[in-house]
Amino acid sequence: MPRLALYALAVCVLSVAAAVVSFVQGSWLGIVWILLAGVSSNMTWYYFRRGRAGRSDGAKSVTG
């Protein structure tokens, strides 16, 4: 798995955890965390697919 995909996955997991904590405490700020989780989830899929496509072409990606 490409490094950027792992970073985006970590952000996604942490933002979901922050949203749960926020909602348990009764704060509506959890909505922002949910939105961040959605964006980082999409970034994870993008970088994962891009890394897999680059590997199948045999070309080494410049960014990792």
Side-chain angles (χ1 to χ4, degrees):
M1 184 175 259
R3 186 180 307 153
L4 288 175
L6 288 175
Y7 290 155
L9 181 63
V11 169
C12 183
V13 169
L14 290 174
S15 62
V16 168
V20 169
V21 169
S22 181
F23 283 130
V24 166
Q25 291 180 348
S27 174
W28 286 96
L29 190 63
I31 294 173
V32 175
W33 291 112
I34 293 294
L35 293 174
L36 182 64
V39 169
S40 61
S41 172
N42 287 340
M43 289 173 60
T44 301
W45 281 114
Y46 172 76
Y47 286 125
F48 179 72
R49 289 181 184 170
R50 190 178 84 170
R52 227 173 53 184
R55 196 172 16 169
S56 67
D57 290 342
K60 184 74 174 167
S61 176
V62 176
T63 59

